[in-house]
């Protein structure tokens, strides 16, 4: 079809675990929904599926049931706050490269159907820089890298950027500093990362924003609610809403790469071998 509208497909990655990817994904998703966008969030963390837990959702099925042909994407998708569509994780999707041609066609079709219903697809990836993370990141149009003020966060973010750049020719990244004391500290972290990438890699890093450390966010996690929904005036919620506005203004990819079926095709055509890269 020629007249399909483009969908933004954004990976949220970090290298290091526990820096706030899932919280950012969920709250970014809800913020974009609040702004009137139709958003789906694919939980691509196959080890520790967390999106549903953060939102207090109880999925019966997950993406593996779609891969097996037992359910449609619509049937496994559950609706979170503000209409956010959540596609629950399974270990199946990491091995998309191994599924048969018929199943591949089915899943491409399933995602291209979803395309009519959404403006944005967010992909919350796992920690680490293993093949699963790389495959998801390189299948997306934009990659958000989340960092926090810990040396290992910067080194792991660098390792992921380097891998995606050198082996997969990705040269544009968006950096978000999380759990910082101030925007100044967030920018300083971004600049530290830029100093290393500028020296060794041919990449452009864009500063997308800083999110303060916020006890209010933690309280919402306890209550299994999205902070932007249940405590919108908290500092973290304000910061994430501003980031969502920025993202909403990014230029949209038109042409081939702007469609969901290409996202799935890139996933399927990945060279994932199941081995750890590091
Ligand atoms: N801005 C923030 N202020 C306070 N706490 C935060 C903030 N962002 C995240 N956290 C807390 O940090 C912890 C890790 O967050 P989260 O699960 O989102 O990280 P992650 O990067 O997805 O982890 P993993 O790599 O294991 O998937 C959680 O306890 C969360 O509540
Ligand atoms: Mg997570």
């Amino acid at each position: 079809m020629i007249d399909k509208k483009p969908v933004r497909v954004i990976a949220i990655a970090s290298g290091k675990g526990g820096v706030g990817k899932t919280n950012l994904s969920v709250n970014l998703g809800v913020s974009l929904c609040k702004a009137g966008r139709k958003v789906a969030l694919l939980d691509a963390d196959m080890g520790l599926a967390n999106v549903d837990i953060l939102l207090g959702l109880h999925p019966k099925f997950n993406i593996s049931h779609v891969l097996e042909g037992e359910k449609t994407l619509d049937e496994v998708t559950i609706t979170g706050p503000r209409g956010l569509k959540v596609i629950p994780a399974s270990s199946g999707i990491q091995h998309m490269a191994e599924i048969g041609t018929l199943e591949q066609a089915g899943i491409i079709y399933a995602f291209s159907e979803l395309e009519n219903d959404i403006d944005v697809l967010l992909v919350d990836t796992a920690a680490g820089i293993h093949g699963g993370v790389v495959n998801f990141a390189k299948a997306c149009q934009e990659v958000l890298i989340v960092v926090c003020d810990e040396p290992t966060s910067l080194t792991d973010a660098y390792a992921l950027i380097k891998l995606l750049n050198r082996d997969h020719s990705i040269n544009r990244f968006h950096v978000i500093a999380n759990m910082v004391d101030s925007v100044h500290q967030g920018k300083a972290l971004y600049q530290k990362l830029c100093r290393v990438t500028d020296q060794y890699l041919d990449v452009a890093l864009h500063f997308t924003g800083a999110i303060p450390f916020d006890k209010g966010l933690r309280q919402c996690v306890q209550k299994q609610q999205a902070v932007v929904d249940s405590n919108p005036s908290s500092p973290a919620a304000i910061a994430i809403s501003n980031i969502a506005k920025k993202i909403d203004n990014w230029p949209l990819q038109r042409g081939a790469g702007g469609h969901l079926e290409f996202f799935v095709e890139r996933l399927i055509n990945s060279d994932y071998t199941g081995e750890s890269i590091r």
Side-chain angles (χ1 to χ4, degrees):
M1 268 184 273
I2 299 155
D3 58 345
K4 276 184 175 173
K5 70 174 167 52
V7 176
R8 270 186 215 288
V9 188
I10 307 171
I12 294 98
S14 65
K16 184 175 161 52
V19 299
K21 292 178 294 298
T22 304
N23 272 279
L24 175 65
S25 304
V26 162
N27 284 293
L28 210 49
V30 176
S31 291
L32 288 164
C33 286
K34 283 172 80 173
R37 302 287 166 230
K38 289 184 266 174
V39 188
L41 170 52
L42 172 63
D43 188 347
D45 188 342
M46 304 313 164
L48 300 158
N50 276 168
V51 170
D52 45 327
I53 298 169
L54 273 187
L55 291 171
L57 301 170
H58 304 282
K60 275 205 200 108
F61 304 105
N62 59 52
I63 191 88
S64 74
H65 297 97
V66 183
L67 286 171
E68 303 293 329
E70 290 168 22
K71 297 278 165 203
T72 63
L73 199 54
D74 234 21
E75 286 167 336
V76 306
T77 302
I78 42 179
T79 306
R82 306 281 175 157
L84 175 69
K85 290 170 193 272
V86 176
I87 306 163
S90 92
S91 54
I93 197 165
Q94 252 194 73
H95 303 285
M96 289 244 304
E98 293 159 25
I99 64 173
T101 319
L102 211 62
E103 288 81 8
Q104 290 187 4
I107 191 110
I108 291 174
Y109 179 73
F111 269 87
S112 56
E113 285 285 284
L114 178 71
E115 186 161 313
N116 303 324
D117 290 340
I118 63 165
D119 303 308
V120 185
L121 175 66
L122 299 174
V123 181
D124 177 26
T125 67
I129 57 167
H130 49 80
V133 174
V134 169
N135 282 344
F136 280 109
K138 71 179 200 198
C140 294
Q141 302 152 356
E142 308 289 347
V143 182
L144 276 181
I145 301 283
V146 185
V147 294
C148 66
D149 191 12
E150 283 177 38
T152 50
S153 166
L154 288 184
T155 51
D156 291 2
Y158 176 74
L160 179 61
I161 292 170
K162 180 174 151 190
L163 188 63
L164 288 170
N165 177 243
R166 291 225 175 135
D167 295 356
H168 304 285
S169 310
I170 299 180
N171 51 21
R172 182 179 64 227
F173 298 88
H174 307 273
V175 179
I176 294 186
N178 188 25
M179 298 193 254
V180 292
D181 297 333
S182 62
V183 174
H184 179 75
Q185 189 197 16
K187 278 200 179 138
L189 280 176
Y190 158 75
Q191 280 154 359
K192 243 186 201 172
L193 192 55
C194 286
R195 275 199 290 277
V196 199
T197 54
D198 283 352
Q199 200 173 349
Y200 299 107
L201 306 173
D202 183 22
V203 295
L205 301 189
H206 302 282
F207 181 68
T208 309
I211 307 163
F213 183 93
D214 186 348
K215 280 192 212 140
L217 182 143
R218 296 218 161 172
Q219 283 158 4
C220 289
V221 170
Q222 292 293 334
K223 290 189 275 181
Q224 295 183 293
Q225 291 169 348
V227 69
V228 293
D229 205 27
S230 57
N231 192 357
S233 55
S234 69
I238 292 171
I240 297 171
S241 305
N242 287 334
I243 289 170
K245 274 182 209 140
K246 222 171 182 177
I247 289 176
D248 206 30
N249 282 322
W250 284 348
L252 254 175
Q253 279 233 0
R254 300 203 172 259
H259 298 311
L260 277 190
E261 60 215 66
F262 288 93
F263 164 70
V264 185
E265 271 169 16
R266 280 187 297 237
L267 271 183
I268 290 170
N269 294 325
S270 59
D271 47 11
Y272 177 56
T273 58
E275 285 162 23
S276 173
I277 283 167
R278 194 146 57 163

